[in-house]
Each structure stands twice: as structure tokens, then as C-alpha cells.
Amino acid sequence: MSGGLGTYETLRVEEREDRVVVTLHRPEARNAISGGMIAELHEVCALLEREPRLLLLTGHGGVFAGGADIAELRRRGREEALQGINSRLFERVRRLPMPTLAAVDGWALGGGAELSYACDLRIAGPDAVFGNPEPGLGILAAAGACWRLPQLVGESVAKQVLLAGRNLDARAALAAGLVIDVVPADELLAEAHALLDRMARLSATALRLTKLVVDSPGAHPVVDDLAQAVLFEGEDKKERMTRFLERNRA
């Protein structure tokens, strides 16, 4: 941990100049998403809202997250469901200003899968498995999977996962477009950082506005025009285009 982020019990947090790296760390429970982890992830979101940077999210010990904490879920009732404990956090992750990347190896089940779906991008190790087994526990995947997963992989594949209990291994996730790449487990974090390095070389303002436009509900050319108008007036655009033209002349 660094950067004065405080002490975490369920996360390992590394703060860098251009990114924050968060490792889910509940090895005794396959990194299951507990109420405590939810609260600590809200703290990370608050940091990234104050100081927008890229986010890399991964799991400790060859597991992303084996689901939500079932013991906690069993105690929750109607009032807790209406609070949207997990869904509110995952939507906050989705709306972070800068791009987010989940590096997934091993299990990403239930709430763990839904947390990865809330990220902008996913990269997988060879043992990654995405699944939503909630109906087997008498509940539904209510933290975004029922509408995010169809957007990510299409209705047919989403229904295979959500209704028929199909798990998507790394190969199937790549074929469905859920992950950007599958890389060896010992190279997963290095490849994830390389992807973030490429994004970090781009204009941060352009990335932020592109993400806002892509995530805006419905197509609306005026939104594109307004975002582009902001970027066209920026010094960053002028400097980058000048460098591009000078390189071409050289």
C-alpha cells in the first residue's frame, strides 16, 4: 500500500502516478466480496473520482473473486436487497472517470464476475472462468449481470450463462468478446500493465470524454460534437497533432 490510502483489510492497494492497482485479498474465502470489501472499494472509488487515474483490478492467489460472501448473503433480506449493496458499488466502478481493467485468472463467479463486467476491459489468464450461478442459490445475478452481460457478449451467450448455468472459460470468453486477450498466468499482470501503459500514453482528457460518450445512453451526435469541441480547444490536442505532423515531415 502507498500514497496515504489508509489501511485495508480485504484489499492490497498500490498507488502510482498514472494508475491505481487494487488486488482483492481475502485468501481464506477465495476473495469473496464481503460487505467490508465493498466499503473499501468505495474508498478506492472516492480516490479515483478525486484524482482520476487508470484502475487495474485483480485478485490474489490465482483467483479473481469466487463470488459474494454467501454467509452474508444468507443473512440479507428485502431491505438489504433494496439498498443495492453490490450493484451500487459496481455502477460506481463503471462510472469512474478513467478506463478500468480487470485482470482475471481463476474463478470470477457471481459477484466477482459482475465486478469484472463493470470494468471497461478484461484480460484473462488461461484458468479464468466467468459464471453466474446465483439461481442455484435461489437468487438472481442482481448486481448488473442481467443487463451488462447481454451488452458485452450478446443475448444468446448471456442467457446461456444466466439461465443455463454455463461457465465461460478463458477460450470461450475470448471468443465471445468478453476479454481482450488470454495470456499465460505468469504474464497476466505484466500484460495488463502493458495495456494500461498504452492507454497512459494517450490523452487523458480524450480518454475521459470518449468513455463518457461511449457510456452515454443512446446515440446522440450532439454529445459527440460537444465532447469534440472541448478537445479541439485543448492544448493537448494541438501539441499531439504538431508532434505527429513533425514526425511525418521528418
Side-chain angles (χ1 to χ4, degrees):
M1 244 165 336
S2 63
L5 288 173
T7 301
Y8 292 88
E9 294 183 0
T10 69
L11 307 175
R12 296 292 179 267
V13 180
E14 178 189 357
E15 188 178 1
R16 302 187 185 183
E17 183 177 354
D18 63 356
R19 72 197 62 172
V20 173
V21 182
V22 175
T23 303
L24 309 179
H25 191 270
R26 293 188 70 214
E28 76 287 354
R30 294 195 306 173
N31 304 328
I33 299 173
S34 63
M37 183 182 285
I38 291 287
E40 292 180 354
L41 285 169
H42 273 296
E43 292 183 34
V44 173
C45 288
L47 168 72
L48 290 169
E49 289 160 355
R50 291 193 306 270
E51 303 173 33
R53 278 170 285 179
L54 302 165
L55 170 66
L56 173 57
L57 191 61
T58 191
H60 170 78
V63 177
F64 185 73
D69 190 300
I70 303 302
E72 289 189 7
L73 281 180
R74 188 174 63 175
R75 293 192 297 269
R76 292 179 187 173
R78 178 181 57 200
E79 292 305 315
E80 287 79 12
L82 291 172
Q83 291 171 23
I85 295 170
N86 288 15
S87 62
R88 300 298 188 273
L89 169 71
F90 298 168
E91 182 61 16
R92 192 174 185 183
V93 170
R94 177 66 174 167
R95 292 182 179 276
L96 286 172
M98 290 288 282
T100 57
L101 171 64
V104 178
D105 201 21
W107 296 107
L109 298 178
E114 291 181 296
L115 176 56
S116 77
Y117 303 158
C119 292
D120 295 306
L121 298 166
R122 286 149 297 280
I123 187 170
D127 296 324
V129 178
F130 300 85
N132 289 98
E134 285 89 345
L137 296 169
I139 59 175
L140 61 85
C146 288
W147 50 276
R148 280 203 181 97
L149 194 57
Q151 293 172 356
L152 293 170
V153 301
E155 182 179 323
S156 177
V157 174
K159 284 184 174 179
Q160 293 170 37
V161 174
L162 296 167
L163 301 180
R166 179 188 178 190
N167 288 336
L168 299 179
D169 61 17
R171 187 166 58 98
L174 181 63
L178 183 61
V179 302
I180 191 171
D181 201 1
V182 178
V183 300
D186 59 356
E187 299 174 16
L188 178 59
L189 286 182
E191 290 295 328
H193 279 292
L195 178 55
L196 292 181
D197 289 342
R198 291 199 293 276
M199 288 192 280
R201 290 192 289 270
L202 305 175
S203 163
T205 305
L207 280 178
R208 288 185 66 177
L209 287 175
T210 300
K211 180 173 175 175
L212 279 173
V213 171
V214 170
D215 288 345
S216 296
H220 204 307
V222 173
V223 174
D224 298 42
D225 293 343
L226 290 172
Q228 192 75 296
V230 172
L231 292 170
F232 269 23
E233 292 298 313
E235 288 301 316
D236 191 37
K237 169 249 188 182
K238 297 173 187 175
E239 292 171 3
R240 286 172 179 271
M241 290 191 176
T242 299
R243 287 198 300 269
F244 175 84
L245 293 170
E246 289 175 348
R247 281 198 304 269
N248 279 3
R249 282 197 294 269

